Structures are given as structure tokens and as C-alpha cells.
Amino acid sequence: MATITPLRSAAARSSAAHAVAGTQLLSGDALRLEGVTRAFGALRAVDDVSLTVAAGQKYAILGSNGAGKTTLFNAITGDFPPTAGRIQFFGEDITELPPHERIRKGLRRTYQSSLLFRELSVRDNLFLAVRGVASGRFSFLRARGGHASTRATQDLLERTRLTHIADEKVANLAHGQQRQLEIGMALAGAPRLILFDEPAAGLSPAERRELVALLRSLPAHMSFVLIEHDLEIALRVVDRVTVMHNGRTLRTGSPEEIEGDAQVQAIYMGSRQ
Ligand SMILES: Nc1ncnc2c1ncn2[C@@H]1O[C@H](COP(=O)(O)OP(=O)(O)OP(=O)(O)O)[C@@H](O)[C@H]1O
Ligand SMILES: [Mg+2]
């Protein structure tokens, strides 16, 4: 495995952000899972997982195929609610809330497989995301609040560095550009926490660098949880890591601790070969 260089940068950025933004903006927990379990029949795909993501924290979930990472995301978003355990979002218990209520509270996700409107342009995809968040449903109506939505769309285009292909049909985009657009869609409506499910899957080295730059450019107050197989990416952009194995939490620690952990190496790296 190649050397992972700036391991300390995410933590350093985070504490700098704390210093600059003050405690009122970044205090408290964004997400708190207590004993979260999701069973499918006899299979406990997620088994008694407890973890805390601080406000503004960038967090990674690692684990081999079938470890339960996506199922954990599904439990957090309500797509497949937990069969046991509690989920708090900024201090509020959201365990029983339907997915759209969680979105309204500032929770977003991206999916392992693309959910873009392939026949529409990049700009229109982002516009729909902005309007969808604004109105609780997707709408092309540009009359009420249209100007603000157009401006928000332009902001997202710039943030995801997709302005030069704004009017291109999504179907014509490179894979990496599509994944960048998915992140742009998740950023609509100023979310407080985003769950990214393997955003680097299938990306070229150059596209991975773009992705790292994008993840690093996200605002200090915005938390994210990243599922990522590529340690080069995961350990470079987060402050804290949890490794899952067979539905359970195997280790939680800083990127440095996780990288140096013998059991993680044996189980995670071993199973990746
Ligand atoms: N809807 C479902 N019904 C039944 N079993 C499921 C369902 N979703 C996931 N599982 C099972 O739960 C386990 C965990 O799956 P999950 O998709 O969460 O793993 P993962 O860590 O995201 O893996 P990958 O790295 O391959 O994406 C697997 O054994 C999977 O087959
Ligand atoms: Mg998965």
C-alpha cells in the first residue's frame, strides 16, 4: 500500500475550525447511535452499534464487503429503520421518524449506486435537488422562490466545480463527474450531516484527487460520515474512524490509531486482498 501522507490534516483543520468558529457553532453531537441493530430475518446485518459523530466532525466507516456499512446508513436515514437501538440527531431522537422528516432536519445521503436524472442537465439535476429540499418535493416551478433557487443552484455548481459542464446532459458525463454531481445534490439545502456511501468507487486517480479536494472544502460546521474502501482517501479526509466487521464495531479511533492497529490490518486489509 502506498504511503498515506497528510494524516494529521483533518484533525488539525477540525481543531482550527473549533478555535475560529467558537463552541456555540460546533458544540454538541451531530449524530449519536446507541445499540443500533438491524436484522433481516435471522441475519443481524448491523448488530449493537454505538458511535457518536460530533458537530462538524468528519467521520469514516471502514469494513470489508457485507460488514453492514450501508445497512447502518439505511438505519440512520430511515430507509430501513433499526430493529433495536436509538438514533439521536443534534440531540433529538429521530429513531421513529420517516426518511423525509430526517431530510427536513438536515440529514442527507448519497447512494452506492447513482440516482441521477440521466436525461437532464447537470444544472437541472442540482436545481431539482434545491427545489426538492425547499418544497419537500421535486418541482420545476420557477415562480415562487425561483430566483433564490437559481442562485443556490449556481453556488452548488461552483462548489462542485461543475460550472463548465452545467448544461451537459448527465448521461454524457464521465463517471467521476457524475459522482461529484451526486455530492452536489446532497449539499442542496445546507445539510448538517451527510452520509457518503463509497463516493470514490470506480473513480480514476485524477477523479479521486478531485473528490478529496471537494470533501476537504466542505464547511467546518458540516459533519459527514464516509463509507470508503480506499484508505488513501478515507484516512486523509476524516478526524475519526470506526471499523465494522460482521455487523459490529471492531475499533473506533483516530486515523493514525486505525492505520496502526494490528487487528484491523489482519481483518480489514486481509479481506481486501
Ligand atoms: N434488504 C436486505 N435484505 C436482506 N439482507 C440484506 C439487505 N440489505 C443488506 N443485507 C445483508 O446485510 C449484510 C450487510 O450488507 P451491507 O450492504 O450493509 O454491507 P456493506 O458493508 O455495505 O458491504 P459493501 O462493502 O459490499 O457495500 C449483508 O450480508 C447483506 O447481504
Ligand atoms: Mg455498502
Side-chain angles (χ1 to χ4, degrees):
M1 193 178 76
T3 348
I4 298 163
T5 22
L7 270 188
R8 293 178 192 286
S9 58
R13 267 187 304 109
S14 171
S15 42
H18 272 273
V20 172
T23 43
Q24 69 277 44
L25 194 61
L26 289 177
S27 65
D29 296 332
L31 184 69
R32 195 177 175 87
L33 309 184
E34 286 171 12
V36 168
T37 298
R38 172 69 211 197
F40 295 108
L43 172 73
R44 284 174 163 239
V46 170
D47 190 2
D48 196 22
V49 168
S50 298
L51 60 85
T52 300
V53 180
Q57 196 168 43
K58 319 304 190 215
Y59 205 107
I61 308 267
L62 306 181
S64 47
N65 295 115
K69 307 178 298 294
T70 298
T71 304
L72 186 67
F73 273 16
N74 286 334
I76 297 168
T77 59
D79 290 323
F80 285 103
T83 43
R86 307 306 300 174
I87 302 172
Q88 278 189 6
F89 187 62
F90 288 92
E92 187 182 348
D93 194 311
I94 61 162
T95 317
E96 314 290 339
L97 286 186
H100 68 271
E101 287 291 332
R102 304 182 198 213
I103 292 170
R104 232 170 42 80
K105 292 186 184 298
L107 177 64
R108 302 280 189 282
R109 78 175 294 179
T110 65
Y111 287 85
Q112 211 166 338
S113 50
S114 176
L115 284 181
L116 298 170
F117 299 98
R118 292 177 56 79
E119 295 308 308
L120 298 182
S121 70
V122 169
R123 188 191 307 279
D124 283 344
N125 269 268
L126 288 172
F127 184 81
L128 280 172
V130 168
R131 293 300 291 166
V133 169
S135 65
R137 66 192 160 88
F138 285 127
S139 160
F140 258 126
L141 288 176
R142 293 179 193 239
R144 271 178 46 199
H147 185 62
S149 299
T150 307
R151 217 176 34 234
T153 303
Q154 192 59 37
D155 284 349
L156 288 177
L157 278 170
E158 284 161 22
R159 171 165 289 175
T160 49
R161 294 194 263 185
L162 293 171
T163 314
H164 62 295
I165 49 165
D167 298 313
E168 194 68 53
K169 199 158 84 166
V170 166
N172 298 334
L173 261 50
H175 179 66
Q177 292 170 326
Q178 294 192 15
R179 303 240 69 163
Q180 249 168 286
L181 175 57
E182 283 161 23
I183 294 178
M185 308 268 286
L187 287 170
R192 296 196 282 176
L193 183 139
I194 309 183
L195 308 172
F196 294 116
D197 198 345
E198 293 197 40
L203 297 194
S204 69
E207 289 171 335
R208 278 163 196 253
R209 283 194 291 278
E210 279 284 313
L211 175 70
V212 167
L214 178 53
L215 291 174
R216 282 186 165 163
S217 73
L218 296 179
H221 64 266
M222 193 185 287
S223 309
F224 69 70
V225 184
L226 170 73
I227 294 176
E228 189 48 69
H229 281 304
D230 184 342
L231 295 182
E232 288 284 313
I233 291 181
L235 299 182
R236 281 167 65 175
V237 298
V238 302
D239 311 306
R240 200 151 181 82
V241 182
T242 285
V243 180
M244 288 181 69
H245 188 60
N246 289 340
R248 301 186 71 100
T249 303
L250 179 74
R251 281 280 186 285
T252 294
S254 67
E256 295 89 338
E257 287 164 347
I258 294 298
E259 201 195 11
D261 187 283
Q263 199 181 357
V264 170
Q265 298 258 347
I267 290 176
Y268 181 67
M269 321 279 192
S271 67
R272 302 285 305 151
Q273 284 161 3

